Structure formats: structure tokens, C-alpha cells
Amino acid sequence: MLETVKYLIGSVGTSGYGSKSTAEQVTDSCPDLRSITAIITGATSGIGAETARVLAKRGAKLVLPARSLKAAEDAKARVLSEFPDSEIIVMALDLSSLASVRNFVSEFESLHLPLNLLINNAGKFAHEHAISEDGIEMTFATNYLGHFLLTKLLLNKMIQTAKATGVQGRIVNVSSAIHGWFSGDTIQYLGEISRSRSSQYDETRAYALSKLANVLHTKELGRRLREVEANVTVNCVHPGIVRTRLTREREGLATDMVFLFASKLLKTIPQAAATTCYVATHPRLIGVSGKYFADCNETSPSKLGSNLVEASRLWSASEVMVSKDSGAIFADQLKD
């Protein structure tokens, strides 16, 4: 109850920010970002678009990958209308396709740009059951596995950039408090819903699984980065509840009534982008890695999201999923 009251009144935490803080406010004290190159997925609308706008305002050079190049060009035009000197590159990327992820990374590397900041923001809530071209349930493929491969392929570039510039690289995974709604065996359930005719599919549970995977990815990647003493950190964030395209996909009286009654708990988009921007830029977080943030303050993920054994297990499964037939990994993991 106390936490809800603090949320509603915007009470600030140890960071000096809270639920009512905006992306612009939390970046007021960040260093000049004109030397920073950032990739932001899902930046064509909502939280991602506001994140891109604020980072551009602070001087960062942006790479905006998107499935729809038109939507990305429109997002670029909106930023340029406000900040004409911004450097913004639009590139094609469909996160549900591992081939598309590989193509994007190859094209990005051909630009010979540094990479200081990777914000894995894009998200999908699939109301209808669907399977990706790689044989993975679509929500998981888009929200997690595509980002896993993207991060894996860009990691050397980030480590090299940090070493050459002395500026610590940062990876931000956008998760959700909904990750705590998932319980059970992650790989087993993913195998069940990645069948072409799944009777186990539940859209909310599938979404919760993908967001739990984002948290576990952060935990394991943070451990691995520390192990090799890389000057790169990774953290994940819960942006809060906000009405974006993700929730507008299903309109109707019932949806409108839910949002009417929940309106006091909803954030504005500038408020929802605040935690991402805080974790991506604030000097206070130099050296902080493998953590989970909400309302611009470190907090604890779910018990399963804190399980290092589960994080390692998911990582191993993910390595196989991005390298060979997905059916094999489900069979292998279910033997464990």
C-alpha cells in the first residue's frame, strides 16, 4: 500500500527521481552526449520515440532500426523538426527474424561507427498465436530472442568502442513488471507455445515470459561482462504502465473502461521514458550492472527473475536457438 501511495504522489527515491519524473528531467545532469552513438529499437512511437527525442536533444547520434522504414523516417523527421542538427540514421530491422538481425548488424558494421549505447526497447504483444520464420513463438522471438542475438553480435563493437574512448558502454533492456507474472519452466513453456498448433498459448503469459527473459538476459550478460572485465554495463528497466501502441492494438469498450479506472496509475510517455533515459545516461550509474530499475530507482525483480541458475539455463538455450533448429533446443532442454 505504501509503495502505491509513493507511486501516485511521485515520491522520489535515492536517485532523486520518482514515478512523475520525465525523460528530460532525468537527463538534465547527464554529460554532453555529442560523442555518443546509440542504437534504439522500437523508436518509431511511444516510449522508444520519446527516448530517441530526448537523447537527440542531448546531442547523441542515433541509429533507428525498424521493420517499417517509412515509420522510422517519420520518427526521424519529427526529431529533426525539433532538433535540426541531430544526426540520425534509419536502418531496416525485423527483430522476429534472426536473418534480419544478422543483416542489420552487417550493415551497421559497414558504416564503421562507434557504438556506446544499445537500448533494446522494441516490444510486441501478440494477441493471436503466431510462429516466427525461425520456429519461435512470435512474442518471444520479437521481445527477447531478436534482442539477444542483436546484443550478442554488437557486443564486440561496444567493448572496442569503450576501450578506444574510455567511455563506459551501456546496454539497456526494457522489460516490465509483468515479468513477475510468469511461473513454471521457461524453456518447456516456450517449447509448448512454439508448436504450430499450440493449445497452451496464453497471450499474457507469453508476454510475461518474454519480459522475464529480458530480466534473465540482463543478469547473465552482466555476469559475463564482469568476468571479462569489459567496460560495458547492462541493466533492465520497467518503464511503467502507459497507453502506447502496444496496448492500443485491442480497442473497445472493455479496454477503454479498464484504462478509465486505471488512469491514475498510468504514466505519460515522457514519464515512462524516464527510467530508460536515466539508466542509459546518468553518471550515478557508472559501473552499475546486472540490475533492475523502476521509477528511476534500483529495485528487485521477481524471485524467478533473480535466479542465476535460470539465467544461465536460458542463455545456453538462447545460444542454441540462434545457431540451429529451434526444435532441437526444446528437445534437448526438456531432457534436462
Side-chain angles (χ1 to χ4, degrees), residues 126-208:
H127 295 291
E128 303 298 329
H129 181 251
I131 306 296
S132 75
E133 64 185 43
D134 302 292
I136 307 295
E137 187 276 321
M138 190 62 78
T139 301
F140 190 89
T142 304
N143 295 358
Y144 167 70
L145 194 62
H147 282 128
F148 173 85
L149 180 59
L150 180 67
T151 304
K152 173 184 170 70
L153 297 179
L154 290 172
L155 199 54
N156 281 340
K157 170 67 74 173
M158 295 195 72
I159 293 172
Q160 291 166 6
T161 299
K163 187 174 182 179
T165 63
V167 177
Q168 190 168 78
R170 299 192 187 190
I171 301 166
V172 182
N173 290 330
V174 178
S175 181
S176 169
I178 291 173
H179 81 271
W181 295 10
F182 184 87
S183 61
D185 189 302
T186 55
I187 306 303
Q188 181 176 348
Y189 182 63
L190 177 61
E192 291 170 351
I193 62 176
S194 291
R195 299 190 183 104
S196 58
R197 293 178 177 272
S198 174
S199 60
Q200 303 299 316
Y201 183 72
D202 176 274
E203 60 202 58
T204 302
R205 192 175 186 216
Y207 183 74

Coordinates of all heavy atoms in Angstrom, one line a residue, residues 126-208:
A126 N 1.5 -10.2 -28.8 CA 0.7 -10.9 -29.9 C -0.6 -11.5 -29.3 O -0.5 -12.4 -28.5 CB 1.6 -12.0 -30.4
H127 N -1.7 -10.9 -29.7 CA -3.0 -11.4 -29.2 C -3.3 -12.8 -29.9 O -3.9 -13.6 -29.3 CB -4.1 -10.4 -29.5 CG -3.9 -9.1 -28.8 ND1 -4.1 -9.0 -27.4 CD2 -3.6 -7.9 -29.2 CE1 -3.9 -7.8 -27.0 NE2 -3.6 -7.1 -28.1
E128 N -2.9 -12.9 -31.1 CA -3.1 -14.2 -31.8 C -1.8 -15.0 -31.8 O -0.7 -14.5 -32.0 CB -3.6 -13.9 -33.2 CG -4.8 -13.1 -33.3 CD -6.0 -13.7 -32.7 OE1 -6.1 -15.0 -32.7 OE2 -6.9 -13.0 -32.1
H129 N -1.9 -16.3 -31.7 CA -0.8 -17.2 -31.7 C -0.1 -17.2 -33.1 O -0.8 -17.3 -34.1 CB -1.2 -18.6 -31.3 CG -0.1 -19.6 -31.3 ND1 0.1 -20.5 -32.2 CD2 1.0 -19.7 -30.4 CE1 1.2 -21.3 -32.0 NE2 1.7 -20.8 -30.9
A130 N 1.2 -17.0 -33.1 CA 1.9 -17.0 -34.3 C 3.4 -17.5 -34.1 O 3.9 -17.4 -33.0 CB 2.0 -15.6 -34.9
I131 N 3.9 -18.1 -35.1 CA 5.3 -18.6 -35.1 C 6.2 -17.8 -36.0 O 5.8 -17.5 -37.1 CB 5.3 -20.1 -35.4 CG1 4.3 -20.9 -34.6 CG2 6.7 -20.7 -35.3 CD1 4.6 -20.9 -33.1
S132 N 7.4 -17.5 -35.6 CA 8.3 -16.7 -36.4 C 8.9 -17.7 -37.5 O 8.7 -18.9 -37.4 CB 9.5 -16.2 -35.6 OG 10.4 -17.2 -35.2
E133 N 9.6 -17.1 -38.5 CA 10.2 -17.8 -39.5 C 11.3 -18.8 -39.0 O 11.6 -19.7 -39.7 CB 10.8 -16.9 -40.6 CG 11.9 -16.1 -40.1 CD 12.4 -15.1 -41.1 OE1 11.6 -14.4 -41.8 OE2 13.7 -14.9 -41.3
D134 N 11.7 -18.5 -37.8 CA 12.8 -19.4 -37.2 C 12.1 -20.4 -36.3 O 12.9 -21.2 -35.6 CB 13.7 -18.5 -36.4 CG 14.4 -17.5 -37.3 OD1 15.2 -17.9 -38.1 OD2 14.1 -16.3 -37.1
G135 N 10.8 -20.5 -36.2 CA 10.2 -21.6 -35.4 C 10.0 -21.2 -34.0 O 9.8 -22.1 -33.1
I136 N 10.0 -19.9 -33.6 CA 9.8 -19.5 -32.3 C 8.5 -18.7 -32.1 O 8.1 -17.9 -33.0 CB 11.0 -18.6 -31.8 CG1 12.3 -19.3 -32.1 CG2 10.9 -18.2 -30.4 CD1 12.6 -20.5 -31.3
E137 N 7.8 -18.9 -31.0 CA 6.6 -18.1 -30.7 C 6.9 -16.6 -30.9 O 8.0 -16.1 -30.5 CB 6.1 -18.4 -29.3 CG 4.8 -17.8 -29.0 CD 4.9 -16.3 -28.6 OE1 5.8 -16.0 -27.8 OE2 4.0 -15.5 -29.0
M138 N 6.0 -15.9 -31.6 CA 6.3 -14.6 -32.1 C 6.6 -13.5 -31.0 O 7.5 -12.7 -31.2 CB 5.1 -14.1 -33.0 CG 5.5 -12.8 -33.7 SD 6.8 -13.0 -34.9 CE 6.0 -13.9 -36.3
T139 N 5.9 -13.5 -29.9 CA 6.2 -12.5 -28.9 C 7.6 -12.7 -28.3 O 8.4 -11.8 -28.1 CB 5.2 -12.6 -27.7 OG1 3.9 -12.4 -28.2 CG2 5.5 -11.6 -26.6
F140 N 8.0 -14.0 -28.0 CA 9.3 -14.3 -27.5 C 10.4 -14.0 -28.5 O 11.4 -13.4 -28.2 CB 9.4 -15.8 -27.1 CG 10.6 -16.1 -26.4 CD1 10.6 -16.1 -25.0 CD2 11.7 -16.6 -27.0 CE1 11.8 -16.4 -24.3 CE2 12.9 -17.0 -26.3 CZ 12.9 -16.9 -24.9
A141 N 10.1 -14.3 -29.8 CA 11.1 -14.0 -30.9 C 11.4 -12.5 -31.0 O 12.5 -12.1 -31.2 CB 10.6 -14.6 -32.2
T142 N 10.3 -11.7 -30.9 CA 10.5 -10.3 -31.1 C 11.1 -9.6 -29.9 O 12.0 -8.8 -29.9 CB 9.1 -9.6 -31.5 OG1 8.6 -10.3 -32.6 CG2 9.3 -8.1 -31.7
N143 N 10.5 -9.9 -28.7 CA 10.8 -9.2 -27.5 C 12.2 -9.6 -26.9 O 12.9 -8.8 -26.3 CB 9.7 -9.3 -26.4 CG 8.4 -8.7 -26.8 OD1 8.3 -8.1 -27.9 ND2 7.4 -8.9 -26.0
Y144 N 12.5 -10.9 -27.1 CA 13.7 -11.3 -26.4 C 14.7 -11.9 -27.4 O 15.9 -11.4 -27.4 CB 13.4 -12.4 -25.4 CG 14.6 -13.2 -25.0 CD1 15.6 -12.5 -24.2 CD2 14.9 -14.5 -25.4 CE1 16.7 -13.2 -23.8 CE2 16.0 -15.1 -25.0 CZ 17.0 -14.5 -24.2 OH 18.1 -15.1 -23.9
L145 N 14.4 -12.9 -28.2 CA 15.4 -13.6 -28.9 C 16.1 -12.7 -29.9 O 17.3 -12.8 -30.1 CB 14.9 -14.9 -29.6 CG 15.9 -15.9 -30.1 CD1 16.8 -16.4 -28.9 CD2 15.3 -17.0 -30.8
G146 N 15.4 -11.9 -30.6 CA 16.0 -11.0 -31.6 C 16.9 -10.0 -30.9 O 18.0 -9.7 -31.4
H147 N 16.5 -9.5 -29.7 CA 17.4 -8.7 -28.9 C 18.6 -9.4 -28.4 O 19.7 -8.8 -28.3 CB 16.6 -8.0 -27.8 CG 15.7 -6.9 -28.2 ND1 14.4 -6.8 -27.9 CD2 16.0 -5.8 -28.9 CE1 13.9 -5.7 -28.4 NE2 14.9 -5.0 -29.0
F148 N 18.4 -10.7 -28.0 CA 19.6 -11.5 -27.5 C 20.6 -11.6 -28.6 O 21.8 -11.3 -28.4 CB 19.1 -12.9 -27.1 CG 20.2 -13.8 -26.8 CD1 20.7 -13.9 -25.5 CD2 20.7 -14.7 -27.8 CE1 21.8 -14.7 -25.2 CE2 21.8 -15.5 -27.5 CZ 22.3 -15.6 -26.2
L149 N 20.2 -11.9 -29.9 CA 21.2 -12.0 -31.0 C 21.8 -10.7 -31.3 O 23.0 -10.6 -31.6 CB 20.5 -12.7 -32.2 CG 21.4 -12.8 -33.4 CD1 22.6 -13.7 -33.1 CD2 20.6 -13.4 -34.6
L150 N 20.9 -9.6 -31.3 CA 21.4 -8.3 -31.7 C 22.5 -7.9 -30.7 O 23.6 -7.4 -31.1 CB 20.2 -7.3 -31.6 CG 20.6 -5.8 -31.9 CD1 21.0 -5.6 -33.4 CD2 19.4 -4.9 -31.5
T151 N 22.3 -8.1 -29.4 CA 23.3 -7.7 -28.4 C 24.5 -8.6 -28.5 O 25.6 -8.0 -28.5 CB 22.6 -7.9 -27.0 OG1 21.4 -7.1 -26.9 CG2 23.6 -7.5 -25.9
K152 N 24.3 -9.8 -28.8 CA 25.5 -10.7 -28.9 C 26.4 -10.3 -30.1 O 27.6 -10.3 -29.9 CB 25.0 -12.2 -29.2 CG 26.0 -13.2 -29.5 CD 25.3 -14.5 -29.9 CE 26.3 -15.5 -30.5 NZ 27.3 -16.0 -29.4
L153 N 25.8 -9.9 -31.2 CA 26.6 -9.6 -32.4 C 27.2 -8.2 -32.3 O 28.2 -7.9 -33.0 CB 25.7 -9.7 -33.6 CG 25.1 -11.1 -34.0 CD1 24.2 -11.0 -35.2 CD2 26.3 -12.1 -34.2
L154 N 26.6 -7.3 -31.5 CA 27.1 -6.0 -31.3 C 28.1 -5.8 -30.2 O 28.7 -4.7 -30.0 CB 26.0 -5.0 -31.2 CG 25.1 -4.7 -32.4 CD1 23.9 -3.9 -32.0 CD2 25.9 -4.1 -33.5
L155 N 28.2 -6.8 -29.3 CA 28.9 -6.7 -28.1 C 30.4 -6.4 -28.3 O 31.0 -5.5 -27.6 CB 28.8 -8.0 -27.3 CG 29.1 -7.8 -25.8 CD1 28.3 -6.7 -25.1 CD2 28.8 -9.2 -25.1
N156 N 31.1 -7.0 -29.3 CA 32.5 -6.7 -29.5 C 32.7 -5.3 -29.9 O 33.6 -4.6 -29.5 CB 33.0 -7.7 -30.6 CG 33.4 -9.0 -30.0 OD1 33.6 -9.2 -28.8 ND2 33.5 -10.0 -30.9
K157 N 31.8 -4.8 -30.7 CA 31.8 -3.4 -31.2 C 31.7 -2.4 -29.9 O 32.5 -1.4 -29.8 CB 30.7 -3.0 -32.2 CG 30.5 -1.6 -32.5 CD 31.7 -1.0 -33.2 CE 31.8 -1.4 -34.7 NZ 32.8 -0.7 -35.4
M158 N 30.8 -2.7 -29.0 CA 30.7 -1.9 -27.8 C 31.9 -2.0 -26.9 O 32.4 -1.0 -26.4 CB 29.4 -2.3 -27.0 CG 28.1 -2.1 -27.8 SD 26.7 -2.2 -26.7 CE 26.9 -0.7 -25.8
I159 N 32.5 -3.2 -26.8 CA 33.7 -3.3 -26.0 C 34.9 -2.6 -26.6 O 35.6 -1.9 -25.9 CB 34.0 -4.8 -25.8 CG1 32.9 -5.5 -24.9 CG2 35.4 -5.0 -25.1 CD1 33.0 -7.0 -24.8
Q160 N 35.0 -2.7 -27.9 CA 36.1 -2.0 -28.6 C 35.9 -0.5 -28.5 O 36.9 0.3 -28.3 CB 36.1 -2.4 -30.1 CG 36.5 -3.8 -30.3 CD 36.2 -4.3 -31.7 OE1 35.8 -3.6 -32.6 NE2 36.4 -5.6 -31.9
T161 N 34.7 0.0 -28.6 CA 34.4 1.5 -28.5 C 34.8 2.0 -27.1 O 35.4 3.0 -27.0 CB 32.9 1.8 -28.8 OG1 32.6 1.4 -30.2 CG2 32.6 3.3 -28.7
A162 N 34.4 1.2 -26.1 CA 34.6 1.6 -24.7 C 36.1 1.7 -24.5 O 36.7 2.6 -23.8 CB 34.0 0.7 -23.8
K163 N 36.9 0.7 -25.0 CA 38.3 0.6 -24.8 C 39.0 1.8 -25.5 O 39.9 2.4 -25.0 CB 38.8 -0.7 -25.4 CG 40.3 -0.9 -25.1 CD 40.7 -2.3 -25.5 CE 42.2 -2.6 -25.2 NZ 42.6 -4.0 -25.6
A164 N 38.5 2.1 -26.8 CA 39.1 3.2 -27.5 C 38.9 4.6 -27.0 O 39.7 5.5 -27.1 CB 38.7 3.1 -29.0
T165 N 37.7 4.8 -26.4 CA 37.3 6.1 -26.0 C 37.4 6.3 -24.5 O 37.4 7.5 -24.0 CB 35.8 6.3 -26.4 OG1 35.0 5.4 -25.7 CG2 35.6 6.2 -27.9
G166 N 37.4 5.2 -23.7 CA 37.4 5.4 -22.3 C 36.1 5.7 -21.7 O 35.9 5.9 -20.5
V167 N 35.1 5.7 -22.5 CA 33.7 6.0 -22.1 C 33.0 4.6 -21.9 O 32.9 3.8 -22.9 CB 32.9 6.8 -23.1 CG1 31.5 7.0 -22.7 CG2 33.6 8.2 -23.3
Q168 N 32.4 4.4 -20.8 CA 31.8 3.1 -20.5 C 30.5 2.9 -21.4 O 29.7 3.8 -21.5 CB 31.3 3.0 -19.0 CG 30.9 1.7 -18.6 CD 30.8 1.6 -17.1 OE1 29.8 2.1 -16.5 NE2 31.7 1.0 -16.4
G169 N 30.5 1.8 -22.0 CA 29.3 1.4 -22.8 C 28.1 1.0 -22.0 O 28.4 0.5 -20.9
R170 N 26.9 1.2 -22.4 CA 25.7 0.8 -21.7 C 24.7 0.1 -22.6 O 24.5 0.5 -23.7 CB 25.1 2.0 -21.0 CG 26.0 2.7 -20.0 CD 25.2 3.7 -19.2 NE 26.1 4.6 -18.3 CZ 25.7 5.4 -17.4 NH1 24.4 5.5 -17.1 NH2 26.5 6.1 -16.7
I171 N 24.2 -1.0 -22.0 CA 23.1 -1.7 -22.7 C 21.9 -1.6 -21.8 O 22.0 -1.8 -20.5 CB 23.5 -3.2 -22.9 CG1 24.7 -3.3 -23.8 CG2 22.3 -4.0 -23.5 CD1 25.3 -4.7 -23.8
V172 N 20.7 -1.2 -22.3 CA 19.5 -1.1 -21.5 C 18.5 -2.0 -22.1 O 18.1 -1.9 -23.3 CB 19.0 0.3 -21.5 CG1 17.7 0.4 -20.6 CG2 20.0 1.3 -21.0
N173 N 18.0 -3.0 -21.4 CA 16.9 -3.9 -21.8 C 15.6 -3.4 -21.2 O 15.5 -3.3 -19.9 CB 17.2 -5.3 -21.3 CG 18.4 -6.0 -22.1 OD1 18.6 -5.6 -23.2 ND2 19.1 -6.9 -21.4
V174 N 14.6 -3.1 -22.0 CA 13.3 -2.7 -21.5 C 12.5 -3.9 -21.2 O 12.1 -4.6 -22.1 CB 12.6 -1.7 -22.5 CG1 11.3 -1.3 -21.9 CG2 13.5 -0.5 -22.7
S175 N 12.2 -4.1 -20.0 CA 11.4 -5.3 -19.5 C 10.0 -4.8 -19.1 O 9.5 -3.8 -19.6 CB 12.1 -6.1 -18.4 OG 11.4 -7.2 -18.0
S176 N 9.5 -5.4 -18.1 CA 8.2 -5.0 -17.5 C 8.0 -5.7 -16.2 O 8.5 -6.8 -16.0 CB 7.0 -5.3 -18.5 OG 5.8 -5.2 -17.8
A177 N 7.2 -5.0 -15.3 CA 6.9 -5.7 -14.0 C 6.1 -6.9 -14.3 O 6.0 -7.8 -13.4 CB 6.1 -4.7 -13.1
I178 N 5.5 -7.0 -15.4 CA 4.7 -8.2 -15.8 C 5.6 -9.5 -15.8 O 5.0 -10.6 -15.8 CB 4.0 -8.0 -17.1 CG1 2.9 -6.9 -16.9 CG2 3.3 -9.2 -17.7 CD1 2.2 -6.5 -18.2
H179 N 6.9 -9.3 -15.9 CA 7.7 -10.5 -15.9 C 7.5 -11.4 -14.6 O 7.7 -12.6 -14.7 CB 9.2 -10.1 -15.9 CG 9.8 -9.7 -14.6 ND1 9.8 -8.4 -14.1 CD2 10.4 -10.4 -13.6 CE1 10.3 -8.3 -12.9 NE2 10.8 -9.5 -12.6
G180 N 7.0 -10.7 -13.6 CA 6.8 -11.4 -12.3 C 5.5 -12.3 -12.4 O 5.3 -13.1 -11.5
W181 N 4.7 -12.1 -13.4 CA 3.5 -12.9 -13.6 C 3.8 -14.4 -14.1 O 2.9 -15.2 -14.0 CB 2.5 -12.3 -14.5 CG 2.0 -11.0 -14.1 CD1 2.4 -10.2 -13.0 CD2 0.9 -10.2 -14.7 NE1 1.7 -9.1 -12.9 CE2 0.8 -9.0 -13.9 CE3 0.1 -10.4 -15.8 CZ2 -0.2 -8.1 -14.3 CZ3 -0.8 -9.5 -16.1 CH2 -1.0 -8.3 -15.4
F182 N 5.0 -14.6 -14.6 CA 5.3 -15.9 -15.1 C 5.9 -16.8 -14.0 O 6.7 -16.4 -13.3 CB 6.3 -15.8 -16.3 CG 6.6 -17.2 -16.9 CD1 5.8 -17.6 -17.9 CD2 7.6 -18.0 -16.4 CE1 6.0 -18.9 -18.5 CE2 7.8 -19.3 -17.0 CZ 7.0 -19.7 -18.0
S183 N 5.3 -18.0 -14.0 CA 5.9 -19.1 -13.1 C 5.9 -20.3 -13.9 O 5.2 -20.5 -14.9 CB 5.0 -19.2 -11.9 OG 3.7 -19.6 -12.2
G184 N 6.8 -21.2 -13.5 CA 6.9 -22.5 -14.3 C 8.2 -22.6 -15.0 O 9.2 -21.9 -14.7
D185 N 8.3 -23.6 -15.9 CA 9.5 -23.9 -16.6 C 9.6 -23.0 -17.9 O 8.7 -23.2 -18.8 CB 9.6 -25.4 -16.9 CG 10.9 -25.8 -17.5 OD1 11.3 -25.2 -18.6 OD2 11.6 -26.7 -17.0
T186 N 10.5 -22.1 -18.0 CA 10.6 -21.2 -19.1 C 10.7 -21.9 -20.4 O 10.0 -21.6 -21.4 CB 11.7 -20.2 -18.9 OG1 12.9 -20.9 -18.7 CG2 11.5 -19.3 -17.7
I187 N 11.7 -22.8 -20.5 CA 12.0 -23.5 -21.8 C 10.9 -24.4 -22.2 O 10.5 -24.5 -23.3 CB 13.4 -24.2 -21.7 CG1 14.5 -23.3 -21.3 CG2 13.7 -24.8 -23.1 CD1 14.6 -22.0 -22.1
Q188 N 10.3 -25.1 -21.2 CA 9.2 -26.1 -21.5 C 8.0 -25.3 -22.1 O 7.5 -25.7 -23.1 CB 8.8 -26.8 -20.2 CG 7.7 -27.8 -20.5 CD 7.4 -28.7 -19.3 OE1 8.1 -28.6 -18.3 NE2 6.3 -29.4 -19.3
Y189 N 7.7 -24.2 -21.4 CA 6.5 -23.4 -21.9 C 6.8 -22.8 -23.3 O 5.9 -22.8 -24.2 CB 6.1 -22.3 -20.9 CG 4.9 -21.6 -21.4 CD1 3.7 -22.2 -21.5 CD2 5.0 -20.2 -21.7 CE1 2.5 -21.5 -21.9 CE2 3.8 -19.5 -22.1 CZ 2.6 -20.2 -22.2 OH 1.5 -19.5 -22.6
L190 N 8.0 -22.3 -23.5 CA 8.3 -21.8 -24.8 C 8.2 -22.9 -25.9 O 7.7 -22.6 -27.0 CB 9.8 -21.2 -24.8 CG 10.2 -20.7 -26.1 CD1 9.4 -19.5 -26.6 CD2 11.7 -20.2 -26.0
G191 N 8.7 -24.1 -25.5 CA 8.6 -25.2 -26.5 C 7.1 -25.5 -26.8 O 6.7 -25.7 -28.0
E192 N 6.3 -25.4 -25.8 CA 4.8 -25.7 -26.0 C 4.2 -24.7 -26.9 O 3.4 -25.1 -27.8 CB 4.1 -25.8 -24.6 CG 4.5 -27.0 -23.8 CD 4.0 -26.9 -22.4 OE1 3.5 -25.8 -22.0 OE2 4.1 -27.9 -21.6
I193 N 4.5 -23.4 -26.7 CA 3.8 -22.4 -27.5 C 4.5 -22.1 -28.8 O 4.0 -21.4 -29.6 CB 3.7 -21.1 -26.7 CG1 5.0 -20.5 -26.3 CG2 2.8 -21.3 -25.5 CD1 5.0 -19.1 -25.6
S194 N 5.6 -22.8 -29.0 CA 6.3 -22.6 -30.3 C 5.9 -23.7 -31.3 O 6.5 -23.9 -32.4 CB 7.8 -22.6 -30.1 OG 8.2 -21.4 -29.5
R195 N 4.9 -24.5 -30.9 CA 4.4 -25.5 -31.9 C 3.3 -24.8 -32.7 O 2.7 -23.9 -32.3 CB 3.7 -26.7 -31.1 CG 4.7 -27.5 -30.2 CD 4.0 -28.7 -29.7 NE 4.9 -29.4 -28.8 CZ 4.8 -29.4 -27.5 NH1 3.8 -28.8 -26.9 NH2 5.6 -30.1 -26.7
S196 N 3.2 -25.3 -34.0 CA 2.3 -24.6 -34.9 C 0.9 -24.6 -34.5 O 0.1 -23.7 -34.8 CB 2.5 -25.2 -36.3 OG 2.2 -26.6 -36.3
R197 N 0.5 -25.7 -33.8 CA -0.9 -25.7 -33.3 C -0.9 -25.9 -31.8 O -1.2 -26.9 -31.2 CB -1.7 -26.9 -33.9 CG -1.9 -26.8 -35.4 CD -2.6 -28.0 -36.0 NE -2.9 -27.8 -37.4 CZ -4.0 -27.3 -37.9 NH1 -4.9 -26.9 -37.1 NH2 -4.2 -27.2 -39.2
S198 N -0.6 -24.8 -31.1 CA -0.4 -24.9 -29.7 C -1.8 -24.6 -29.0 O -2.5 -23.7 -29.3 CB 0.5 -23.8 -29.2 OG 0.6 -23.8 -27.8
S199 N -2.1 -25.5 -28.0 CA -3.3 -25.3 -27.2 C -2.9 -24.7 -25.9 O -3.8 -24.4 -25.1 CB -4.0 -26.7 -26.9 OG -3.1 -27.6 -26.2
Q200 N -1.6 -24.4 -25.7 CA -1.2 -23.9 -24.4 C -1.0 -22.4 -24.4 O -0.7 -21.8 -23.4 CB 0.2 -24.5 -24.0 CG 0.2 -26.0 -24.0 CD -0.7 -26.6 -22.9 OE1 -0.8 -26.0 -21.8 NE2 -1.5 -27.6 -23.2
Y201 N -1.2 -21.8 -25.6 CA -0.9 -20.4 -25.8 C -1.9 -19.5 -25.0 O -3.1 -19.5 -25.1 CB -1.0 -20.0 -27.2 CG -0.6 -18.5 -27.5 CD1 0.7 -18.1 -27.3 CD2 -1.5 -17.5 -27.8 CE1 1.1 -16.8 -27.5 CE2 -1.2 -16.2 -28.0 CZ 0.2 -15.8 -27.9 OH 0.5 -14.5 -28.1
D202 N -1.3 -18.6 -24.2 CA -2.0 -17.6 -23.4 C -1.2 -16.3 -23.7 O 0.0 -16.2 -23.3 CB -2.1 -17.9 -21.9 CG -2.7 -16.8 -21.2 OD1 -2.0 -15.8 -20.8 OD2 -3.9 -16.8 -21.0
E203 N -1.8 -15.3 -24.3 CA -1.1 -14.1 -24.7 C -0.4 -13.4 -23.6 O 0.7 -12.9 -23.8 CB -2.1 -13.1 -25.5 CG -3.2 -12.7 -24.6 CD -4.4 -12.2 -25.5 OE1 -4.9 -13.0 -26.3 OE2 -4.8 -11.0 -25.3
T204 N -1.1 -13.3 -22.4 CA -0.5 -12.6 -21.3 C 0.7 -13.3 -20.7 O 1.8 -12.8 -20.4 CB -1.5 -12.3 -20.2 OG1 -2.6 -11.5 -20.8 CG2 -0.9 -11.5 -19.1
R205 N 0.6 -14.7 -20.6 CA 1.7 -15.5 -20.1 C 2.8 -15.5 -21.1 O 4.0 -15.4 -20.6 CB 1.2 -16.9 -19.8 CG 2.2 -17.7 -19.0 CD 1.7 -19.1 -18.6 NE 2.7 -19.7 -17.7 CZ 2.9 -21.0 -17.7 NH1 2.3 -21.8 -18.6 NH2 3.8 -21.5 -16.9
A206 N 2.6 -15.5 -22.4 CA 3.6 -15.4 -23.4 C 4.4 -14.1 -23.3 O 5.6 -14.1 -23.4 CB 3.1 -15.6 -24.8
Y207 N 3.7 -13.0 -23.1 CA 4.3 -11.7 -22.9 C 5.1 -11.7 -21.7 O 6.3 -11.2 -21.7 CB 3.2 -10.6 -22.9 CG 3.8 -9.2 -22.9 CD1 4.4 -8.6 -24.0 CD2 3.7 -8.5 -21.7 CE1 4.9 -7.4 -23.9 CE2 4.2 -7.2 -21.6 CZ 4.8 -6.6 -22.7 OH 5.4 -5.4 -22.7
A208 N 4.6 -12.2 -20.6 CA 5.3 -12.2 -19.3 C 6.6 -13.1 -19.4 O 7.6 -12.7 -18.9 CB 4.4 -12.8 -18.2

